[in-house]
Amino acid sequence: MKHSKVKDLLNSTKTNYEVTVKGWVRTFRNNQFIALNDGSTIHNLQCVVDFENTPEETLKRINTGTAVALTGNLVESQGAGQKYEIQVTQLEILGDCDAEKFPMQPKKHSLEFLRENAHLRVRTNAFGAIMRVRSVLAHAVHTYFQERGFVYVNTPIITGADAEGAGEMFQVTSMPLDSLPKTEDGQINYKEDFFGKHTNLTVSGQLEAETYAMALGQVYTFGPTFRAENSNTSRHLAEFWMIEPEVAFNDLTDNMDLAEDFIKFVIQYAVERCADDLKFLEGRLLDEEKQKPQAERSEMTLLEKLNFVLNNDFKRVSYTEAIAILRESTPNKKKKFQYLIEEWGADLQSEHERYLVEKHFKCPVILFDYPAKIKAFYMRLNDNTEPGKETVRAMDILFPGIGEIVGGSQREERYDVLIEKMKAIGIDEEELWWYLDTRRFGSAVHSGFGLGFERLVLFVTGMTNIRDVIPFPRTPQNAEF
Ligand code: 4AD
Ligand code: MG
């Protein structure tokens, strides 16, 4: 007989019929009550074992973690706490679980311990919930763009272009590292490498996506990106997933509108479809907040935070305005910032971003028109800016508790300006010949942005460490599993 999912049974409209469920035992009480979880929902299904007619040896094998198949009548539960239960008539042990050795005991584990057991942590309520929410958010991303006629583009993971400037890159080679082929002048001879050239893992699909936007109009990527930044923070991964829409004929304002609408859509999508998981995660966050001193506790619950984002416009602020606010801020005057803001032109650190979002504006903020010097070469230079104070049509979206969640810009569509800029910072135009072609053949205004998928999942789940929202995190000194 085909087995049913716990989620469907808990939503059943009828009772008194025979069902089979398969899953893992979460707890086994009084030699009689199995709380069964099959991953379809955060809720367990109570399954009542007929212990008088079940051999002692079988009962002994029912432990936390044991995989079982249970058949019986679905009935209204007599006990408190659940609507339905199964009165088990047939019990099959599918896979034993050594109760003594199983690391996922039914008690509270630290997140550090769970990271060390990333292959088993998904068997806990919290990680089951996080990963289901992550999956729904991924679906939301595709739904949003597909419903609006965007074309999904798979940009390369191995790239020959290392000029994006988004971060340190991981090299890709098939050459033996202990005996690298050399050229006559002693340099590494990449001609002998697999691709006949120096290659890396991509830090972003943007440059390739731009070429596609110049034909398909509206495109988006959703794929893994890699950065070898040695930043061991709770916001950085060496391997993370990024969503990068790119739209022909969009200017910076259109780009901001798209990003805000998109973020609200995917959050709404998760709020509507992940009510049980989010309710659980909200409780988890409340417990965690209780450990903190009163002053550091969040004023809002998880769902209040999500609804706040859905119901309020993001505040749009220019870099110049932001610098003025930061310069006059208490932490700057009292020298509480690690990096004090003195001059226009300073790069913003996460402490500044979080001050603006969490203390000053108390809502998501879109910062735009950054100094050209601190942003990537491909961003559109603003017309009429003072020499030395040039700005580009960049925008970053800053979120409470997260900092930067989106980075994007209107792109420099003018061939001459782009070439000048590349020369000034020493980017090889030969290497990016194909990118420059987009500006030679039918160039047009266009814009796009990148949303860090894990940072979005962090925000929606209320987790605080990015290592806890991706199944197997890759960070400096850590590539286990
Ligand atoms: O701001 P970034 O570097 O922008 C780009 O890569 C552009 N090419 C995007 C575009 O315009 N198409 O990265 C975009 C976002 C950041 O805002 C952040 O959310 C996320 O990617 N991100 C990271 N997430 C996790 N770990 C890291 N190391 C990240 N670096 C960036
Ligand atoms: Mg950025």
Side-chain angles (χ1 to χ4, degrees):
M1 187 168 111
K2 211 171 140 28
H3 64 277
S4 307
K5 276 194 264 180
V6 167
K7 185 181 182 178
D8 296 336
L9 295 182
L10 291 176
N11 289 325
S12 181
T13 47
K14 52 174 191 171
T15 48
N16 289 313
Y17 63 105
E18 188 176 77
V19 297
T20 298
V21 283
K22 295 182 181 184
W24 295 267
V25 176
R26 280 290 171 85
T27 56
F28 185 40
R29 277 188 306 119
N30 300 349
N31 235 3
Q32 191 178 13
F33 301 108
I34 295 178
L36 188 85
N37 193 281
D38 69 353
S40 61
T41 155
I42 188 134
H43 301 298
N44 300 325
L45 179 63
Q46 172 154 289
C47 303
V48 188
V49 176
D50 178 7
F51 62 99
E52 277 163 359
N53 294 311
T54 308
E56 191 59 33
E57 297 85 82
T58 310
L59 291 174
K60 275 200 187 124
R61 291 169 66 195
I62 307 174
N63 299 314
T64 296
T66 304
V68 291
L70 306 171
T71 300
N73 223 5
L74 185 74
V75 298
E76 273 175 35
S77 177
Q78 301 303 309
Q82 65 276 320
K83 195 166 155 210
Y84 298 133
E85 64 188 24
I86 294 179
Q87 308 251 264
V88 178
T89 49
Q90 245 175 299
L91 187 161
E92 189 188 348
I93 307 275
L94 301 176
D96 286 293
C97 182
D98 187 333
E100 310 268 281
K101 296 197 181 120
F102 186 48
M104 299 294 111
Q105 297 294 324
K107 60 161 193 170
K108 204 167 160 45
H109 296 286
S110 74
L111 290 169
E112 290 76 18
F113 172 82
L114 291 170
R115 267 170 231 145
E116 285 162 19
N117 289 282
H119 61 307
L120 296 174
R121 68 178 174 174
V122 69
R123 298 188 190 200
T124 63
N125 283 330
F127 281 87
I130 294 164
M131 295 308 158
R132 277 186 298 268
V133 172
R134 186 183 162 107
S135 167
V136 168
L137 283 169
H139 193 229
V141 168
H142 286 293
T143 304
Y144 181 84
F145 289 120
Q146 295 288 336
E147 281 180 354
R148 285 158 186 77
F150 283 64
V151 178
Y152 178 41
V153 179
N154 300 115
T155 49
I157 288 170
I158 299 175
T159 171
D162 47 9
E164 231 260 45
E168 293 298 312
M169 302 185 93
F170 289 101
Q171 293 188 34
V172 175
T173 181
S174 62
M175 299 192 290
L177 291 180
D178 46 8
S179 62
L180 291 167
K182 297 278 169 70
T183 57
E184 272 166 21
D185 55 358
Q187 304 288 315
I188 295 168
N189 188 0
Y190 285 104
K191 288 216 170 71
E192 288 196 20
D193 204 351
F194 189 89
F195 298 105
K197 65 182 293 191
H198 186 223
T199 51
N200 293 307
L201 291 178
T202 188
V203 293
S204 154
Q206 178 198 323
L207 302 191
E208 290 91 349
E210 281 185 55
T211 69
Y212 264 56
M214 287 295 115
L216 298 172
Q218 314 176 93
V219 302
Y220 70 106
T221 73
F222 186 1
T225 47
F226 308 86
R227 296 190 187 179
E229 309 163 279
N230 208 350
S231 38
N232 233 327
T233 77
S234 56
R235 306 280 177 272
H236 289 88
L237 291 164
E239 177 181 282
F240 65 99
W241 289 66
M242 187 154 51
I243 295 127
E244 295 185 276
E246 192 69 38
V247 185
F249 318 116
N250 264 12
D251 65 12
L252 189 69
T253 305
D254 301 324
N255 203 33
M256 293 195 251
D257 293 344
L258 176 68
E260 183 168 343
D261 190 53
F262 165 61
I263 293 178
K264 286 179 173 169
F265 177 93
V266 294
I267 294 176
Q268 176 80 42
Y269 198 90
V271 167
E272 280 167 14
R273 286 163 181 78
C274 304
D276 290 353
D277 287 327
L278 291 176
K279 200 162 159 233
F280 175 85
L281 291 166
E282 176 168 81
R284 202 204 74 86
L285 191 61
L286 279 175
D287 284 346
E288 199 165 83
E289 295 266 317
K290 280 190 201 135
Q291 317 292 319
K292 291 188 193 165
Q294 190 78 40
E296 285 172 34
R297 288 185 203 163
S298 167
E299 288 158 22
M300 285 189 247
T301 67
L302 179 60
L303 280 151
E304 283 167 351
K305 273 192 239 173
L306 299 179
N307 281 310
F308 182 84
V309 168
L310 294 177
N311 298 329
N312 289 281
D313 289 342
F314 296 4
K315 179 87 187 158
R316 301 182 185 191
V317 186
S318 74
Y319 167 90
T320 304
E321 290 169 73
I323 284 290
I325 293 165
L326 288 167
R327 213 191 271 147
E328 295 305 310
S329 69
T330 314
N332 203 51
K333 288 188 163 160
K334 292 197 169 163
K335 303 203 184 324
K336 289 272 159 60
F337 282 143
Q338 199 187 340
Y339 297 89
L340 295 178
I341 297 286
E342 277 150 14
E343 298 278 315
W344 185 95
D347 204 353
L348 300 183
Q349 307 295 327
S350 68
E351 57 181 347
H352 309 127
E353 297 176 340
R354 294 186 64 169
Y355 173 84
L356 290 170
V357 173
E358 288 159 28
K359 298 279 183 316
H360 190 85
F361 291 109
K362 296 186 193 287
C363 71
V365 172
I366 311 185
L367 285 187
F368 63 92
D369 283 352
Y370 280 75
K373 281 202 189 86
I374 58 171
K375 287 290 181 185
F377 76 95
Y378 52 69
M379 297 186 179
R380 175 65 157 79
L381 196 63
N382 269 306
D383 303 318
N384 312 320
T385 51
E386 272 177 66
K389 280 207 161 185
E390 289 91 355
T391 55
V392 286
R393 306 242 76 195
M395 63 123 185
D396 277 5
I397 303 187
L398 314 177
F399 256 49
I402 307 287
E404 181 191 330
I405 192 161
V406 160
S409 64
Q410 182 178 324
R411 319 306 188 187
E412 182 56 76
E413 83 283 10
R414 298 163 299 180
Y415 182 83
D416 298 342
V417 181
L418 188 60
I419 275 277
E420 277 313 308
K421 232 171 157 193
M422 286 169 62
K423 277 191 192 141
I425 56 172
I427 295 175
D428 189 356
E429 46 185 291
E430 300 216 321
E431 202 189 313
L432 283 184
W433 63 274
W434 53 272
Y435 184 68
L436 288 165
D437 267 1
T438 56
R439 275 61 171 180
R440 293 175 62 218
F441 305 121
S443 188
V445 166
H446 63 288
S447 301
F449 62 84
L451 171 86
F453 187 54
E454 284 73 21
R455 292 195 186 172
L456 172 72
V457 183
L458 263 184
F459 183 73
V460 175
T461 58
M463 298 300 290
T464 47
N465 193 317
I466 200 162
R467 294 167 173 82
D468 299 328
V469 295
I470 187 165
F472 299 104
R474 267 77 185 99
T475 50
Q477 300 298 311
N478 173 35
E480 194 64 49
F481 309 102

